[in-house]
Amino acid sequence: MVTNSRAATGVDSLRPLNVPVAVQVKATVGGVPVQVRHSSLWIDIIKVADRWNIDDEWWREERVSRTYFQLLMQGGQSMIVFRNDVNSTWYWQRYG
């Protein structure tokens, strides 16, 4: 059994999970990523393993329209990035 610490809980103790992080991406004219910047290095993308779109909340002032890419990076890492299609900004988001 866990002992109650009697510490106060509140909203400040909550933290969001899997929050998207802005990332720099070099893409083709068609919008397909070819390089992602990590720290100060540009990493080549070997393969786009998957691509999908999400269009949601179209009735709100700030609709959600994103194109996701599952990428195989140089060095063997896998990464998921998305382009916010409303303002053409790129983000990395961890899943799982």
Side-chain angles (χ1 to χ4, degrees):
M1 180 181 282
V2 176
T3 305
N4 184 350
S5 68
R6 304 210 192 277
T9 60
V11 175
D12 61 333
S13 64
L14 299 176
R15 63 181 174 84
L17 299 175
N18 301 330
V19 175
V21 177
V23 66
Q24 290 181 305
V25 173
K26 289 183 183 176
T28 65
V29 174
V32 178
V34 293
Q35 287 185 320
V36 174
R37 187 172 183 157
H38 184 273
S39 298
S40 61
L41 300 174
W42 286 97
I43 302 172
D44 291 330
I45 296 166
I46 305 303
K47 178 181 178 183
V48 175
D50 199 3
R51 177 183 182 161
W52 66 98
N53 293 343
I54 293 181
D55 289 299
D56 200 6
E57 301 187 27
W58 50 267
W59 62 91
R60 295 182 183 252
E61 188 173 321
E62 291 187 35
R63 65 186 175 95
V64 175
S65 182
R66 299 175 176 173
T67 302
Y68 282 83
F69 298 88
Q70 181 179 4
L71 308 173
L72 179 60
M73 312 297 289
Q74 179 180 342
Q77 313 94 301
S78 182
M79 173 184 248
I80 294 178
V81 298
F82 70 85
R83 182 183 63 236
N84 179 336
D85 295 328
V86 175
N87 61 15
S88 297
T89 54
W90 288 90
Y91 296 89
W92 166 71
Q93 191 164 13
R94 180 175 298 182
Y95 288 92

